[in-house]
Amino acid sequence: MDAEAAARRWAAGWERAWPAADVSELAGLYADGVLFLSHPFRPLQPVREYAAWAFADQAAAECRFGAPVAAGSRAAVDWWAVVTARDGTVETLAGTSLLRFAPDGRVVEQRDVWAAEPGRHELPAWATA
């Protein structure tokens, strides 16, 4: 298993699924029993449950992912997104996902750290290829 290639597949899946609010596409990126921590202070949550919750108020989203930093079965990937809620409010998120992959390339562990700010913030130096 090539962790850099697996991380690129993971990022490409998120780039398609996030704007489309596609829970099923995201779920396919993860192994059964994945350890998924979407934020340091949020309890463990199944990926499908998290995605359904996160997408529930999303009217629109755009995102980009940076080049992975990979070693062994692990990778770190920076990401940036602008999400518009159903009420029209806009929020920018920037974070890093720390990933560990199974031999088949699906994620078995994900730990995210991120920050959010109201409004649109371009952050051209974050999550770049």
Side-chain angles (χ1 to χ4, degrees):
M1 188 274 310
D2 177 341
E4 182 176 346
R8 289 187 186 281
R9 280 191 304 277
W10 173 87
W14 269 90
E15 284 178 338
R16 288 186 305 271
W18 197 340
D22 188 338
V23 173
S24 293
E25 170 131 11
L26 281 185
L29 301 171
Y30 296 88
D32 293 338
V34 61
L35 173 66
F36 183 81
L37 292 161
S38 63
H39 191 278
F41 298 107
R42 191 172 285 149
L44 284 171
Q45 196 172 20
V47 172
R48 281 185 177 276
E49 183 180 302
Y50 169 78
W53 168 82
F55 296 156
D57 190 44
Q58 174 180 302
E62 64 179 282
C63 58
R64 70 173 181 258
F65 290 76
V69 176
S73 64
R74 297 183 173 273
V77 181
D78 292 334
W79 48 266
W80 168 94
V82 175
V83 177
T84 303
R86 295 191 190 284
D87 68 3
T89 58
V90 175
E91 183 175 49
T92 300
L93 300 102
T96 302
S97 292
L98 305 172
L99 308 164
R100 185 168 55 88
F101 299 96
D104 68 1
R106 292 185 302 156
V107 176
V108 294
E109 181 180 342
Q110 179 171 336
R111 297 172 186 272
D112 291 344
V113 290
W114 51 272
E117 283 289 321
R120 182 184 185 92
H121 305 277
E122 294 302 325
L123 304 181
W126 194 268
T128 59

